[in-house]
Amino acid sequence: RKEVEQDPGPFNVPEGATVAFNCTYSNSASQSFFWYRQDCRKEPKLLMSVYSSGNEDGRFTAQLNRASQYISLLIRDSKLSDSATYLCAVTSVEYDYKLSFGAGTTVTVRA
Amino acid sequence: DGGITQSPKYLFRKEGQNVTLSCEQNLNHDAMYWYRQDPGQGLRLIYYSQIVNDFQKGDIAEGYSVSREKKESFPLTVTSAQKNPTAFYLCASSIRDGYTFGSGTRLTVV
């Protein structure tokens, strides 16, 4: 079983729609959780950290469910510029803070 | 500005040839990492180093080697033993779980 798994998508949504997707992790000792955005042929860039209480950054909302071992990302009012691959990543002090990544969820927002 | 620099951006390797990818950071981060990304896949850890003169294998270290002689530098050598080296290579540095990535090197075997 992979340490971090994501629905690859693609999610093809119209502008203004809401899109949400999850990421599951297998290591219950995982402590820190992140969503990264990766554009085609570029490096990943941190979108947001995911906190236990859930957190919001503008149109983006991240949730953590420790009991079921998954994190989620919701994008409201999608923009064309949100088209990208979204990678989830987890780490823990137990593993020297090495980041383990999912394979990514591709989102395409159409006009 | 502080950051992490990878070079070259594109690299072509002949069969049986060793090549070295450069990674330099001026963020004063202790930890540095090399990841490999194949199309449609996430990042897989090749090697990492938490301190100068020390490094550990990641999940896919076979066919690769690294050195960490200076805090700022963590070069990756792709050896001829790596049978399928064509990929996107990303270097990162971190303090705890705060990561900064370089812009990557795209390696192609010709």
Side-chain angles (χ1 to χ4, degrees), chain B residues 25-93:
Chain B
Q25 54 101 357
N26 60 3
L27 298 164
N28 200 33
H29 287 172
D30 286 317
M32 296 187 75
Y33 309 82
W34 275 104
Y35 287 89
R36 168 182 172 141
Q37 188 176 34
D38 294 282
Q41 297 192 34
L43 281 65
R44 292 183 291 166
L45 184 64
I46 304 172
Y47 268 98
Y48 68 105
S49 168
Q50 294 185 295
I51 197 167
V52 175
N53 292 322
D54 188 40
F55 49 82
Q56 285 79 41
K57 292 182 179 180
D59 301 317
I60 55 164
E62 185 175 350
Y64 300 97
S65 66
V66 293
S67 62
R68 187 85 187 277
E69 297 176 1
K70 299 186 300 181
K71 188 175 186 176
E72 301 80 15
S73 179
F74 191 39
L76 173 75
T77 297
V78 184
T79 75
S80 56
Q82 171 49 240
K83 296 307 177 190
N84 186 21
T86 294
F88 187 42
Y89 291 86
L90 285 156
C91 180
S93 67

Side-chain angles (χ1 to χ4, degrees), chain A residues 29-34 89-93 95-100, chain B residues 97 99:
Chain A
S30 298
Q31 295 173 289
S32 301
F33 308 88
F34 307 91
V90 304
T91 188
S92 72
V93 64
Y95 291 102
D96 297 330
Y97 293 111
K98 293 178 293 179
L99 272 179
S100 294
Chain B
D97 55 14
Y99 274 60

